[in-house]
mmCIF file of all heavy atoms in Angstrom:
data_model
loop_
_atom_site.group_PDB
_atom_site.id
_atom_site.type_symbol
_atom_site.label_atom_id
_atom_site.label_comp_id
_atom_site.label_asym_id
_atom_site.label_seq_id
_atom_site.Cartn_x
_atom_site.Cartn_y
_atom_site.Cartn_z
ATOM 1 N N LYS A 331 -98.338 100.272 -46.776
ATOM 2 C CA LYS A 331 -99.112 99.883 -45.609
ATOM 3 C C LYS A 331 -99.807 98.557 -45.871
ATOM 4 O O LYS A 331 -100.372 98.316 -46.929
ATOM 5 C CB LYS A 331 -100.168 100.961 -45.318
ATOM 6 C CG LYS A 331 -100.843 100.812 -43.972
ATOM 7 C CD LYS A 331 -99.939 101.221 -42.826
ATOM 8 C CE LYS A 331 -100.712 101.213 -41.524
ATOM 9 N NZ LYS A 331 -99.835 101.522 -40.363
ATOM 10 N N ALA A 332 -99.700 97.639 -44.903
ATOM 11 C CA ALA A 332 -100.304 96.314 -45.036
ATOM 12 C C ALA A 332 -101.109 96.019 -43.769
ATOM 13 O O ALA A 332 -100.535 95.645 -42.749
ATOM 14 C CB ALA A 332 -99.248 95.252 -45.265
ATOM 15 N N GLY A 333 -102.398 96.234 -43.818
ATOM 16 C CA GLY A 333 -103.209 96.007 -42.635
ATOM 17 C C GLY A 333 -103.091 97.167 -41.663
ATOM 18 O O GLY A 333 -102.537 98.226 -41.951
ATOM 19 N N GLU A 334 -103.585 96.944 -40.442
ATOM 20 C CA GLU A 334 -103.627 98.009 -39.450
ATOM 21 C C GLU A 334 -102.256 98.333 -38.878
ATOM 22 O O GLU A 334 -101.925 99.494 -38.649
ATOM 23 C CB GLU A 334 -104.591 97.620 -38.317
ATOM 24 C CG GLU A 334 -104.800 98.721 -37.302
ATOM 25 C CD GLU A 334 -105.812 98.336 -36.243
ATOM 26 O OE1 GLU A 334 -106.526 97.328 -36.437
ATOM 27 O OE2 GLU A 334 -105.910 99.047 -35.221
ATOM 28 N N ASN A 335 -101.435 97.299 -38.671
ATOM 29 C CA ASN A 335 -100.157 97.527 -38.014
ATOM 30 C C ASN A 335 -98.939 97.087 -38.841
ATOM 31 O O ASN A 335 -97.823 97.155 -38.360
ATOM 32 C CB ASN A 335 -100.117 96.763 -36.678
ATOM 33 C CG ASN A 335 -101.186 97.206 -35.727
ATOM 34 O OD1 ASN A 335 -101.366 98.395 -35.507
ATOM 35 N ND2 ASN A 335 -101.928 96.242 -35.179
ATOM 36 N N GLY A 336 -99.169 96.639 -40.069
ATOM 37 C CA GLY A 336 -98.066 96.093 -40.837
ATOM 38 C C GLY A 336 -97.567 96.985 -41.951
ATOM 39 O O GLY A 336 -98.248 97.917 -42.381
ATOM 40 N N ASN A 337 -96.351 96.712 -42.404
ATOM 41 C CA ASN A 337 -95.740 97.404 -43.519
ATOM 42 C C ASN A 337 -95.029 96.397 -44.418
ATOM 43 O O ASN A 337 -94.447 95.434 -43.934
ATOM 44 C CB ASN A 337 -94.718 98.445 -43.039
ATOM 45 C CG ASN A 337 -95.374 99.648 -42.391
ATOM 46 O OD1 ASN A 337 -96.023 100.444 -43.049
ATOM 47 N ND2 ASN A 337 -95.203 99.758 -41.074
ATOM 48 N N ILE A 338 -95.087 96.660 -45.714
ATOM 49 C CA ILE A 338 -94.289 95.897 -46.672
ATOM 50 C C ILE A 338 -93.204 96.827 -47.216
ATOM 51 O O ILE A 338 -93.490 97.961 -47.622
ATOM 52 C CB ILE A 338 -95.150 95.362 -47.821
ATOM 53 C CG1 ILE A 338 -96.162 94.336 -47.300
ATOM 54 C CG2 ILE A 338 -94.277 94.729 -48.907
ATOM 55 C CD1 ILE A 338 -97.140 93.841 -48.351
ATOM 56 N N GLY A 339 -91.993 96.369 -47.167
ATOM 57 C CA GLY A 339 -90.876 97.159 -47.668
ATOM 58 C C GLY A 339 -90.310 96.573 -48.939
ATOM 59 O O GLY A 339 -90.259 95.340 -49.109
ATOM 60 N N ILE A 340 -89.918 97.434 -49.850
ATOM 61 C CA ILE A 340 -89.314 97.009 -51.114
ATOM 62 C C ILE A 340 -88.036 97.816 -51.296
ATOM 63 O O ILE A 340 -88.062 99.050 -51.207
ATOM 64 C CB ILE A 340 -90.237 97.242 -52.322
ATOM 65 C CG1 ILE A 340 -91.564 96.502 -52.128
ATOM 66 C CG2 ILE A 340 -89.572 96.807 -53.613
ATOM 67 C CD1 ILE A 340 -92.605 96.835 -53.174
ATOM 68 N N LEU A 341 -86.936 97.138 -51.559
ATOM 69 C CA LEU A 341 -85.650 97.809 -51.750
ATOM 70 C C LEU A 341 -84.981 97.274 -53.012
ATOM 71 O O LEU A 341 -84.948 96.071 -53.232
ATOM 72 C CB LEU A 341 -84.727 97.574 -50.552
ATOM 73 C CG LEU A 341 -83.338 98.196 -50.664
ATOM 74 C CD1 LEU A 341 -83.414 99.704 -50.556
ATOM 75 C CD2 LEU A 341 -82.433 97.640 -49.573
ATOM 76 N N PHE A 342 -84.443 98.191 -53.796
ATOM 77 C CA PHE A 342 -83.691 97.822 -54.985
ATOM 78 C C PHE A 342 -82.492 98.733 -55.111
ATOM 79 O O PHE A 342 -82.602 99.950 -54.966
ATOM 80 C CB PHE A 342 -84.584 97.935 -56.231
ATOM 81 C CG PHE A 342 -83.881 97.564 -57.510
ATOM 82 C CD1 PHE A 342 -83.415 96.275 -57.703
ATOM 83 C CD2 PHE A 342 -83.673 98.502 -58.506
ATOM 84 C CE1 PHE A 342 -82.762 95.914 -58.872
ATOM 85 C CE2 PHE A 342 -83.034 98.154 -59.683
ATOM 86 C CZ PHE A 342 -82.574 96.863 -59.862
ATOM 87 N N SER A 343 -81.330 98.127 -55.367
ATOM 88 C CA SER A 343 -80.111 98.918 -55.445
ATOM 89 C C SER A 343 -79.176 98.346 -56.485
ATOM 90 O O SER A 343 -79.043 97.119 -56.624
ATOM 91 C CB SER A 343 -79.398 98.947 -54.079
ATOM 92 O OG SER A 343 -78.197 99.658 -54.149
ATOM 93 N N LEU A 344 -78.534 99.247 -57.251
ATOM 94 C CA LEU A 344 -77.538 98.877 -58.230
ATOM 95 C C LEU A 344 -76.278 99.736 -58.019
ATOM 96 O O LEU A 344 -76.404 100.943 -57.779
ATOM 97 C CB LEU A 344 -78.037 99.113 -59.668
ATOM 98 C CG LEU A 344 -79.149 98.235 -60.193
ATOM 99 C CD1 LEU A 344 -79.643 98.776 -61.523
ATOM 100 C CD2 LEU A 344 -78.659 96.799 -60.359
ATOM 101 N N ASN A 345 -75.113 99.139 -58.121
ATOM 102 C CA ASN A 345 -73.864 99.889 -57.998
ATOM 103 C C ASN A 345 -72.858 99.325 -58.986
ATOM 104 O O ASN A 345 -72.768 98.110 -59.172
ATOM 105 C CB ASN A 345 -73.298 99.781 -56.580
ATOM 106 C CG ASN A 345 -74.146 100.497 -55.549
ATOM 107 O OD1 ASN A 345 -73.955 101.670 -55.287
ATOM 108 N ND2 ASN A 345 -75.096 99.772 -54.966
ATOM 109 N N GLN A 346 -72.111 100.221 -59.610
ATOM 110 C CA GLN A 346 -71.073 99.823 -60.564
ATOM 111 C C GLN A 346 -69.899 100.754 -60.399
ATOM 112 O O GLN A 346 -70.063 101.966 -60.236
ATOM 113 C CB GLN A 346 -71.593 99.881 -61.993
ATOM 114 C CG GLN A 346 -70.533 99.721 -63.075
ATOM 115 C CD GLN A 346 -70.113 98.288 -63.267
ATOM 116 O OE1 GLN A 346 -70.876 97.381 -62.950
ATOM 117 N NE2 GLN A 346 -68.916 98.058 -63.781
ATOM 118 N N SER A 347 -68.672 100.210 -60.394
ATOM 119 C CA SER A 347 -67.501 101.062 -60.265
ATOM 120 C C SER A 347 -66.365 100.521 -61.110
ATOM 121 O O SER A 347 -66.298 99.319 -61.404
ATOM 122 C CB SER A 347 -67.052 101.154 -58.803
ATOM 123 O OG SER A 347 -66.578 99.912 -58.332
#
Side-chain angles (χ1 to χ4, degrees):
K331 192 74 174 176
E334 185 176 347
N335 299 311
N337 288 290
I338 295 175
I340 302 172
L341 178 70
F342 180 63
S343 178
L344 291 171
N345 292 271
Q346 170 77 24
S347 67

